Amino acid sequence: MAAGDSFSVTTPIFYVNDAPHIGHAYTEVAADVLARWHRQSGVPTWSLTGTDEHGQKILRTAVANGVTPKEWADKLVADAWIPLLKTIDIANDDFIRTTEERHESVVQQFLQKLYDDGLIYDGEYEGYYCVGCEEYKQQSDLVDGTGEFAGQYVCPIHGRPVEVLKEKNYFFRMSQFQQRLLDLYESQPDFIQPDSLRNEIVSFVRRGLDDLSISRQSFDWGVRVPWDDKHVVYVWFDALINYISALGWRPDAPAELFDRFWPSNHIVGKDIARFHAVIWPAMLMAADLPVPRRVFGHGWLLVGGEKMSKSKLTGIAPSQITDVFGSDAFRYYFMRAIAFGQDGSFSWEDLAARYQAELANGFGNLASRVVAMVGRYCDGVVPEAGAASEAEAGIQRTVADAVGTASAAIDRFAISDSIAAVWSIVDELNGYLTVQEPWKVAKDDSQTERLHTILYTAAEGLRALAVLLSPVLPQATQKLWAALGAEPHLGALADQRIPDAGEWGQLPAGARTQALEALFPRIDHEATA
């Protein structure tokens, strides 16, 4: 079992009822940044994403489009969900679909184990059901409809009326695990993060848990209940198991990936945190398996004050942004502009402003200036530094401090704070060059040693930035790494270790630089209108 010497992170598996929007991409990028950071920290890392393809919502969408659910899922996965990973530069280790045999067989084995252990029984259930959430709702969870929905109960998340369903189902004895869940939350305070979400979940569980309806007879698109094929497994009970089916778990066989990388860290939207922080750990407890390492519920992306939603026509395709600004800018903006765990508002104006000020003028211009000055004043060869002054010592301290601060922030999943810590190097180097004025020093032949010290300091600072920013800006940092001439001496950028990034003097004198194109080219303002 994973014992702190590995790192595993998952996104939710996303419904294939429609194409992805930037809310989905936001979750993907966050998990990817965490995974990339840990890989470059020398930690064995595994990252998972995928698609949820069963349930009533998928069935209805497929029927409305005149195809079978499997045909619909296959097309959406091939045309939209897999391409999304390339669009935003995701380096996942696995992609799981709930229609794969490797998943469906594990769902049945998991369910059979709970049934054999007396934790599943049959009964009848009637309640309010939101097809969009694929969840029974308490009346207190609903709002009164207005306009065309007046007189009906409406799901506040999807803005549509719920349905009243009554059917005979199988139930999971989830109520038996209420105290064990509360004990988990008490003994492992960071199991649910951020704290605001933790408090909400704890309060919910303290009010009392009902047993969970885990099968459906009213439709047949799902995994068959192994002892009663008239029932299919409730889509959430099915979907949650993907986190261990992808790792090869079986109840009666060893699984190398599972033993190495479970328990995982789950990155989810806050609206599905209850499933992951209540139902899922209860299921694992019932199966005598370790609970997840952490459930982190991030906030919503808001457009015009509303949660990102295709049904409300507020969904923005990731390619609408990456086609203009590039994937690095997409990744940077959403990780830097929004405190991970809180809601955040998206606007084209803010994106364009941050692109210009922080990426183009801040980091991009710094990189271009330094490489160009090494080319102009040192014939494209990284010079040897002379005696360091307090100014150079200050840069070295900034780099070392940034590594420690950024790493500590990543441990808390505070991605925005981590980037801010690294960006302090960008700001310090820009300020350093403004004060030191190497373009003036270069005019005095007696100051050659000083010029070389300034340029080496700037180039070495860029070496550290390339390493520290590569989890967020993989394309730009790779270009910078090549321009610094670092690879022949230090190896590939992906092999550089983040904890070592603050160790000063790694870029060797004599490294030959290459011309560097603009990392973040000028954007035509009309393209963002």
Side-chain angles (χ1 to χ4, degrees):
M1 184 187 307
D5 56 349
S6 65
F7 179 78
S8 173
V9 63
T10 71
T11 71
I13 49 174
F14 298 106
Y15 280 129
V16 292
N17 61 308
D18 207 339
H21 55 59
I22 61 174
H24 303 113
Y26 174 60
T27 311
E28 291 278 11
V29 170
D32 188 61
V33 168
L34 293 171
R36 286 176 182 265
W37 186 282
H38 282 84
R39 286 191 197 103
Q40 282 206 241
S41 295
V43 178
T45 298
W46 186 83
S47 62
L48 172 70
T49 189
T51 46
D52 184 359
E53 302 175 17
H54 291 136
Q56 192 170 12
K57 181 161 58 175
I58 306 303
L59 175 61
R60 290 185 179 180
T61 301
V63 169
N65 285 273
V67 295
T68 68
K70 186 61 164 61
E71 288 171 337
W72 176 262
D74 287 347
K75 180 173 177 56
L76 260 290
V77 169
D79 293 351
W81 290 95
I82 294 294
L84 169 68
L85 305 181
K86 182 177 180 180
T87 296
I88 53 176
D89 224 340
I90 303 300
N92 55 302
D93 294 291
D94 198 359
F95 185 98
I96 191 162
R97 301 177 58 183
T98 55
T99 52
E100 294 179 74
E101 192 279 334
R102 63 167 173 155
H103 173 73
E104 292 188 346
S105 63
V106 170
V107 171
Q108 292 187 315
Q109 292 174 66
F110 189 99
L111 197 65
Q112 187 70 55
K113 174 176 172 53
L114 269 55
Y115 183 74
D116 293 344
D117 291 344
L119 291 166
I120 292 176
Y121 64 93
D122 61 348
E124 189 171 83
Y125 193 87
E126 181 176 9
Y128 298 108
Y129 195 77
C130 173
V131 175
C133 294
E134 294 280 15
E135 179 186 15
Y136 278 108
K137 299 285 189 178
Q138 298 298 318
Q139 185 174 333
S140 59
D141 293 329
L142 305 173
V143 297
D144 293 327
T146 59
E148 63 176 312
F149 302 137
Q152 302 179 69
Y153 287 124
V154 170
C155 170
I157 295 174
H158 290 92
R160 302 194 64 81
V162 293
E163 302 175 14
V164 177
L165 296 184
K166 181 178 181 179
E167 60 181 347
K168 291 183 178 180
N169 298 326
Y170 287 99
F171 289 78
F172 167 50
R173 298 184 189 276
M174 190 168 68
S175 60
Q176 292 187 9
F177 297 91
Q178 177 177 339
Q179 190 56 50
R180 286 185 63 181
L181 287 169
L182 291 173
D183 292 344
L184 167 65
Y185 306 151
E186 178 69 24
S187 64
Q188 193 175 322
D190 67 345
F191 175 73
I192 306 169
Q193 289 293 308
D195 288 341
S196 57
L197 180 62
R198 178 182 183 277
N199 294 338
E200 176 187 318
I201 297 293
V202 171
S203 176
F204 171 78
V205 175
R206 281 179 178 161
R207 291 198 296 269
L209 292 180
D210 296 325
D211 290 343
L212 179 68
S213 171
I214 61 164
S215 74
R216 300 288 183 267
Q217 286 193 88
S218 55
F219 59 93
D220 62 359
W221 178 238
V223 180
R224 296 288 177 178
V225 171
W227 63 87
D228 187 345
D229 64 6
K230 294 189 298 295
H231 290 250
V232 295
V233 180
Y234 169 45
V235 65
W236 269 105
F237 200 93
D238 158 12
L240 289 163
I241 295 171
N242 91 91
Y243 300 124
I244 60 173
S245 66
L247 288 168
W249 175 84
R250 296 290 188 277
D252 55 359
E256 180 182 350
L257 279 176
F258 180 81
D259 292 341
R260 189 178 191 192
F261 290 115
W262 186 260
S264 292
N265 296 273
H266 297 324
I267 305 298
V268 301
K270 64 180 180 180
D271 52 333
I272 59 172
R274 282 188 191 177
F275 297 100
H276 290 80
V278 180
I279 297 175
W280 180 223
M283 290 167 58
L284 291 164
M285 291 173 179
D288 297 319
L289 293 172
V291 299
R293 169 65 188 87
R294 182 182 303 179
V295 176
F296 194 102
H298 66 70
W300 290 340
L301 287 187
L302 306 176
V303 175
E306 289 194 75
K307 178 178 180 280
M308 188 77 55
S309 169
K310 288 284 187 180
S311 62
K312 295 181 180 180
L313 303 181
T314 56
I316 298 170
S319 59
Q320 290 178 258
I321 294 175
T322 59
D323 286 351
V324 177
F325 295 95
S327 61
D328 274 2
F330 183 104
R331 295 167 63 92
Y332 174 83
Y333 175 76
F334 286 106
M335 293 300 98
R336 179 75 191 273
I338 300 169
F340 198 53
Q342 300 178 16
D343 292 348
S345 294
F346 168 79
S347 76
W348 290 100
E349 293 79 9
D350 188 40
L351 170 59
R354 285 180 176 270
Y355 177 92
Q356 190 61 43
E358 297 168 20
L359 291 176
N361 293 344
F363 177 47
N365 189 48
L366 170 68
S368 296
R369 284 201 297 165
V370 172
V371 172
M373 285 190 290
V374 172
R376 182 180 305 118
Y377 303 132
C378 303
D379 295 325
V381 176
V382 174
E384 184 172 347
S389 69
E390 177 55 31
E392 287 73 55
I395 295 295
Q396 294 177 33
R397 286 194 298 270
T398 296
V399 172
D401 290 347
V403 173
T405 302
S407 295
I410 288 291
D411 289 343
R412 309 190 302 272
F413 289 10
I415 300 174
S416 179
D417 290 350
S418 179
I419 297 173
V422 175
W423 218 256
S424 68
I425 303 173
V426 175
D427 295 337
E428 285 295 314
L429 283 174
N430 274 318
Y432 171 79
L433 292 176
T434 298
V435 172
Q436 301 303 318
E437 299 181 311
W439 47 89
K440 289 186 178 179
V441 176
K443 296 177 180 179
D444 185 348
D445 291 342
S446 68
Q447 294 291 306
T448 299
E449 180 180 335
R450 181 62 193 156
L451 174 66
H452 288 177
T453 300
I454 296 169
L455 294 182
Y456 180 84
T457 298
E460 171 65 355
L462 287 178
R463 189 272 315 162
L465 278 172
V467 176
L468 294 169
L469 288 174
S470 59
V472 182
L473 305 172
Q475 293 190 16
T477 52
Q478 183 57 53
K479 293 175 183 176
L480 176 57
W481 193 251
L484 290 172
E487 185 158 347
H489 305 275
L490 301 178
L493 177 57
D495 296 333
Q496 308 307 303
R497 293 292 171 253
I498 283 174
D500 301 330
E503 182 180 334
W504 194 257
Q506 294 184 48
L507 184 64
R512 182 163 291 280
T513 62
Q514 302 175 19
L516 179 63
E517 63 184 45
L519 296 180
F520 301 98
R522 180 182 177 276
I523 298 296
D524 182 354
H525 288 294
E526 291 184 3
T528 67

